Amino acid sequence: MSNTFQVDLRGIVDLLSHHLYASPRVYVRELLQNAVDAITAVGPDHAGAVAITSADATGDGTLRISDNGIGLTEAQVHELLATIGRSSKRDELGFARHEFLGQFGIGLLSCFLVADEIRVHTRREGAAPVLWTGFSDGRYEVRPGPEREAGTTVTLLPRRGAEHFLTGTTVVELATVYGSLLPVAVTVDDRTVTTGVLPWQLPPAGRMAYAQETLGFRPFDVIELNVPGAGLTGAAFVLPTPVNPASRGGHRVYLKRMLLSENVEGLLPEWAFFARCVVDSSELRPTASREALYDDGMLAETRDAIADQLRGWLVRLAATDPHQLGEFLRIHHLGVKALALHDDEMLRLVEQWFPMQTNMGEVTLAEFRSRHGVLRYAATADEFRQLAAVAAAQDVGLINGGYVYDAELIERLAATDPEVRVERLDPTDLTTRFVPLDTEVELRLRPFLAAAQRRLDRLGCEVVVRAFDPVTLPSLYLVSRAAAFHDEFTASRDEADDLWGGVLDALSRTVPADRPQLVLNHRNPLVRRVAALGDAELAGLAVESLYGQALMLGHHPIRPSDAALLTTSFLGLLDRAVPGEENR
């Protein structure tokens, strides 16, 4: 036994007219859409026109929109205007007819956002005029209408509280926003709002002025877009200032020259956050609310095609205007680097043109390779700050790989080109370049080293003495990656409950137990004076102070035990420096 769904028409009207659309403003767009489609149905040579008369001009609070399009017969009025989801723009198989804007048969319902009553006075050539009246509670009436020329006039009777949407100022604004590019003449109270000129067809100065007025910025450059498969033309306006990559800016999209939305997402790939697009398409599909694009294969292909055109623009800049490319990279390097993670051509562009921070100044990866032969980098900004000066003094070039994508790009270069040598610098690697002490000096310092080691044993730090540059640096705190991992593992074990603590204890046998090193610089005069002190307590306080200074200069985290040591060593040195009352 089969049954038919029972439909509450008033509820359906409320659902579609109040919850499908984001704003009552869209009613002007839907009325324009129906008028333009009616004109299109007459034929390509028909001189169409749409006239809107606002509530200010009608004098009775109503709004009227008239077109000289094809009109409807009485049978079509019953079939189309009274059937939700049925559109005259579909054929019998349900496929949208290519030349029309509307597809879903629900556009007229958007008028119930601002009106309690909708009147449609229409006549098709060779048929009698018809007057259809729809009410917001779901009722409708059809009766013969007064004589008129072929075409349609829609009259809206405002609902309480929505009168301002039908005023001249508001209607002019909305008709201009949605319909300024339409190929038919549109007037509001005898004022023409259509220009008929696509902004990307303007001369360069006109494009800049359009972006300033419409998008709110003067673009760094304008890139023409053309995707024939989607019937898409337009332009990408490159932002002149940096933008947060996480903010996905929307794009101004027209469908058959009617504005879909000013904030459409998904038109560009994620890495292209540096551009805002204005485009018109005849093939991309809108959602039912006509406020977004339907995410299908056509949109994906269009997105890929636009990505290729943006990539081509960057390549052309590299070949024809390196200075402008350098300026662009300075502003929008994050987007290009994100693309370079997946695109070999962009990877080479970054290598040749984007300057990275090194301990020898800002240079490109290509320049760094030509000077040093190997792309040696620190994986984090903290590691770079710790090692940059010391590495430079040893004539070791070092790249700061701590910025977003930099380390990944360096490694990817080696993966794509066997001639590129890459090396991640471990902090302890520098000790191999430090000069060991003479045997005689080392024997003389052995008692001092033993005392210093006793002072720092409780902190898990090994004390060594080497000779290195720069001479002005008295000490250096070096943590190998293995030691850093051991510290993190130990901290996790201390914070874990009994269950996970037992698991971590079982794993602890496999964790290397390397210790950080405090490397004292024997070339530094202060270190030599400390090592020569006859007062063991004073020498111990001095070593603890050098340990604290090395931690802070290297931007290492300060543990509670380190903070306590810094306090006691500082107070101890201060106590020795300031004589007490008994010594005065």
Side-chain angles (χ1 to χ4, degrees):
M1 177 177 175
S2 62
N3 294 284
T4 303
F5 282 107
Q6 301 300 309
V7 178
D8 180 353
L9 189 56
R10 182 189 299 226
I12 291 294
V13 169
D14 179 75
L15 174 66
L16 293 178
S17 62
H18 291 88
H19 301 285
L20 179 67
Y21 299 102
S23 166
R25 294 163 54 93
V26 299
Y27 87 92
V28 172
R29 182 192 66 197
E30 298 300 327
L31 289 174
L32 284 174
Q33 167 195 297
N34 288 337
V36 172
D37 284 342
I39 291 168
T40 302
V42 177
D45 299 327
H46 181 56
V50 180
I52 303 177
T53 307
S54 71
D56 296 342
T58 60
D60 57 5
T62 64
L63 176 140
R64 291 197 300 270
I65 176 169
S66 300
D67 66 72
N68 59 348
I70 196 168
L72 298 173
T73 66
E74 182 174 351
Q76 289 171 327
V77 165
H78 281 285
E79 179 186 6
L80 301 172
L81 297 187
T83 306
I84 296 173
R86 185 71 178 273
S87 173
S88 62
K89 297 119 188 186
R90 293 172 179 264
D91 60 25
E92 62 276 7
L93 297 178
F95 296 108
R97 289 177 61 183
H98 178 273
E99 66 269 23
F100 293 134
L101 293 169
Q103 312 291 346
F104 300 101
I106 56 177
L108 191 62
L109 293 177
S110 67
C111 296
F112 284 121
L113 292 167
V114 298
D116 278 328
E117 183 178 325
I118 304 171
R119 299 171 184 166
V120 180
H121 182 202
T122 183
R123 187 177 78 84
R124 191 161 188 154
E125 191 69 42
V130 181
L131 179 62
W132 177 92
T133 304
F135 304 92
S136 60
D137 60 7
R139 295 178 296 114
Y140 76 93
E141 299 173 352
V142 179
R143 64 176 184 267
E147 283 300 324
R148 58 159 298 150
E149 297 293 324
T152 302
T153 298
V154 178
T155 303
L156 304 184
L157 280 67
R159 65 187 312 146
R160 182 173 298 178
E163 294 86 356
H164 62 285
F165 284 107
L166 278 60
T167 61
T169 301
T170 301
V171 176
V172 166
E173 176 196 351
L174 297 179
T176 303
V177 167
Y178 288 116
S180 61
L181 302 187
L182 287 172
V184 302
V186 177
T187 60
V188 178
D189 298 340
D190 296 325
R191 172 181 172 181
T192 301
V193 298
T194 46
T195 63
V197 179
L198 299 174
W200 49 91
Q201 295 177 346
L202 295 169
R207 296 179 188 179
M208 293 291 181
Y210 168 84
Q212 184 73 61
E213 179 181 352
T214 307
L215 305 179
F217 62 87
R218 186 172 182 81
F220 176 86
D221 202 352
V222 181
I223 308 163
E224 290 191 24
L225 303 176
N226 187 13
V227 185
L232 183 144
T233 60
F237 296 86
V238 181
L239 292 162
T241 55
V243 62
N244 184 352
S247 64
R248 295 288 174 253
H251 308 282
R252 197 178 184 93
V253 174
Y254 293 81
L255 294 184
K256 301 181 181 71
R257 302 180 71 161
M258 173 76 78
L259 180 67
L260 178 74
S261 174
E262 298 173 282
N263 198 34
V264 173
E265 297 184 356
L267 186 65
L268 297 188
E270 290 188 356
W271 55 263
F273 52 80
F274 53 80
R276 297 291 178 267
C277 292
V278 181
V279 300
D280 177 58
S281 171
S282 61
E283 302 297 331
L284 294 177
R285 294 172 56 196
T287 58
S289 66
R290 292 183 50 79
E291 294 173 349
L293 291 173
Y294 189 76
D295 197 353
D296 57 5
M298 176 65 74
L299 180 58
E301 292 173 7
T302 302
R303 185 162 48 238
D304 291 342
I306 293 177
D308 288 340
Q309 292 174 33
L310 296 180
R311 186 188 296 109
W313 171 73
L314 289 170
V315 173
R316 288 194 301 275
L317 278 188
T320 61
D321 196 342
H323 175 75
Q324 189 179 18
L325 175 65
E327 182 63 19
F328 170 80
L329 290 175
R330 184 187 66 79
I331 300 171
H332 296 297
H333 55 91
L334 282 179
V336 178
K337 289 195 292 185
L339 173 58
L341 290 176
H342 312 284
D343 186 279
D344 291 347
E345 197 170 28
M346 289 300 101
L347 181 65
R348 288 302 180 185
L349 186 145
V350 169
E351 180 193 20
Q352 294 293 326
W353 299 104
F354 179 65
M356 291 190 178
Q357 184 183 24
T358 76
N359 62 345
M360 307 293 182
E362 287 199 345
V363 297
T364 66
L365 293 176
E367 291 175 298
F368 192 92
R369 278 181 61 200
S370 67
R371 294 182 191 178
H372 302 282
V374 58
L375 296 177
R376 186 179 291 107
Y377 71 96
T380 68
D382 284 341
E383 277 189 12
F384 179 79
R385 285 193 292 264
Q386 295 161 21
L387 305 175
V390 178
Q394 319 307 315
D395 198 28
V396 175
L398 186 64
I399 304 168
N400 184 359
Y403 291 110
V404 178
Y405 304 132
D406 284 5
E408 294 95 324
L409 289 173
I410 293 169
E411 290 290 350
R412 190 169 184 275
L413 271 174
T416 56
D417 187 347
E419 295 184 1
V420 177
R421 293 172 51 217
V422 169
E423 177 184 314
R424 177 180 172 180
L425 184 67
D426 190 292
T428 55
D429 292 344
L430 284 176
T431 58
T432 61
R433 295 176 176 265
F434 294 167
V435 178
L437 304 181
D438 293 338
T439 304
E440 180 182 348
V441 174
E442 192 170 345
L443 288 172
R444 190 170 67 248
L445 291 177
R446 187 167 292 175
F448 164 74
L449 272 177
Q453 188 62 62
R454 286 193 296 273
R455 299 295 286 247
L456 297 185
D457 259 341
R458 58 193 172 91
L459 299 173
C461 180
E462 180 184 358
V463 183
V464 297
V465 180
R466 297 287 186 271
F468 59 88
D469 291 323
V471 173
T472 55
L473 186 66
S475 60
L476 186 65
Y477 186 77
L478 297 178
V479 185
S480 68
R481 286 194 289 275
F485 177 75
H486 182 270
D487 287 346
E488 293 175 5
F489 186 91
T490 303
S492 299
R493 170 63 187 87
D494 293 341
E495 296 175 3
D497 57 24
D498 292 340
L499 174 61
W500 286 108
V503 174
L504 293 175
D505 282 339
L507 293 173
S508 63
R509 303 183 189 92
T510 64
V511 177
D514 290 5
R515 297 204 298 174
Q517 289 184 333
L518 177 67
V519 185
L520 300 177
N521 187 3
H522 194 256
R523 289 178 180 169
N524 182 269
L526 176 62
V527 171
R528 291 201 297 271
R529 292 203 305 272
V530 169
L533 285 172
D535 187 332
E537 177 63 23
L538 182 58
L541 290 172
V543 168
E544 291 174 348
S545 297
L546 290 172
Y547 169 84
Q549 184 213 32
L551 282 180
M552 291 186 289
L553 286 179
H555 300 273
H556 296 281
I558 305 296
R559 301 169 298 179
S561 56
D562 297 328
L565 181 82
L566 287 171
T567 301
T568 57
S569 63
F570 172 75
L571 293 176
L573 288 174
L574 194 61
D575 182 63
R576 299 293 293 267
V578 179
E581 292 288 343
E582 65 278 6
N583 296 327
R584 290 185 179 178

